[in-house]
């Protein structure tokens, strides 16, 4: 009976983790699509008009990558996030971008998350390049990978703890599961 209960519990845990994993990947795709739309529609936030402007400026001074220009975007309705997206010309910037929750209309910079631990530019996409490769220490790609793939029209292969993901045409999936 004890072994049967262990097998049942282990199976439930494995199935549950697959659903959580799928939900997190779907969320990253959804946020990445909304972020892409916001950037393509040029709905950036005028940071100087935000009450948190001084805090945002200080946050960037402490965390930004050298030579990278950052613009802010507010994304979402029920749950809202403030994104600081880094860019440098036509370079594919994997890191570092930032995401902070918005709580009661206030950007919670103390809860900000970085897209990567360090700065990472894959350089500009060359005309004869159809794909670029990066690694990510999380189990799956994030919305920033989807954003960069979308705005630069390039397939990204992202090596993660869970395997090699392909990020292409607004979707993220394990490369062997296409």
């Amino acid at each position: 009976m004890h072994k049967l209960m262990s097998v049942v519990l282990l199976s439930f845990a494995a199935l549950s983790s697959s659903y959580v994993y799928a939900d997190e990947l779907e969320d990253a795709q959804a946020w990445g699509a909304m972020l892409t739309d916001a950037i393509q529609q040029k709905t950036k936030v005028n940071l100087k008009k935000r009450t948190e402007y001084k805090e945002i400026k200080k946050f960037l001074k402490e965390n930004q990558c050298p030579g990278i220009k950052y613009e802010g975007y507010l994304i979402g309705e029920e749950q809202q996030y403030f994104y600081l997206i880094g860019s440098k010309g036509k370079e594919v910037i994997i890191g570092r971008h930032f995401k902070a929750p918005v709580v009661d209309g206030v950007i919670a910079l103390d809860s900000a998350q970085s897209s990567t631990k360090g700065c990472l530019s894959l350089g500009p996409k060359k005309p004869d390049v159809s794909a670029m490769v990066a690694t990510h220490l999380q189990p799956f790609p994030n919305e920033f990978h989807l954003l960069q793939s979308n705005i630069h029209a390039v397939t990204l292969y992202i090596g993660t703890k869970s395997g090699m993901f392909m990020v292409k045409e607004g979707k993220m999936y394990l490369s062997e599961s296409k």
Side-chain angles (χ1 to χ4, degrees):
M1 179 68 174
H2 178 65
K3 282 188 175 189
L4 177 61
M5 187 62 133
S6 295
V7 169
V8 169
L9 287 175
L10 184 58
S11 298
F12 177 75
L15 285 173
S16 297
S17 67
S18 294
Y19 288 125
V20 169
Y21 170 79
D23 287 347
E24 289 184 31
L25 188 60
E26 285 177 19
D27 284 350
Q29 282 186 166
W31 288 105
M34 288 187 283
L35 192 52
T36 300
D37 289 344
I39 288 172
Q40 289 174 338
Q41 295 171 16
K42 301 180 187 294
T43 59
K44 63 183 176 184
V45 173
N46 183 340
L47 298 179
K48 290 182 180 180
K49 290 189 176 183
R50 293 290 306 185
T51 57
E52 307 94 333
Y53 176 65
K54 287 181 182 176
E55 291 85 2
I56 294 169
K57 193 173 173 180
K58 181 179 185 258
F59 177 85
L60 279 174
K61 185 175 182 177
E62 294 170 356
N63 295 286
Q64 73 185 40
C65 294
I68 302 292
K69 177 184 173 190
Y70 286 87
E71 293 182 334
Y73 297 87
L74 286 169
I75 309 296
E77 292 176 19
E78 285 182 31
Q79 171 61 57
Q80 193 173 47
Y81 288 99
F82 173 69
Y83 286 90
L84 285 166
I85 303 301
S87 64
K88 184 177 183 181
K90 295 184 183 248
E91 292 186 23
V92 178
I93 305 293
I94 299 299
R96 188 157 61 179
H97 310 283
F98 303 96
K99 171 184 180 179
V102 177
V103 180
D104 297 325
V106 177
I107 300 168
L109 286 171
D110 58 334
S111 298
Q113 299 173 347
S114 174
S115 63
T116 58
K117 290 186 181 208
C119 304
L120 176 61
S121 169
L122 299 181
K125 179 190 166 215
K126 305 273 192 249
D128 60 342
V129 169
S130 61
M132 299 176 107
V133 179
T135 58
H136 189 57
L137 299 177
Q138 300 301 317
F140 53 88
N142 59 37
E143 61 263 48
F144 303 107
H145 294 113
L146 188 74
L147 168 69
Q148 294 298 306
S149 174
N150 287 343
I151 64 175
H152 294 287
V154 66
T155 299
L156 294 175
Y157 287 92
I158 309 296
T160 72
K161 292 178 179 180
S162 301
M164 182 64 76
F165 279 82
M166 182 184 289
V167 182
K168 179 181 181 180
E169 299 173 352
K171 299 287 182 200
M172 298 187 289
Y173 45 86
L174 277 168
S175 61
E176 56 267 354
S177 69
K178 185 180 179 194

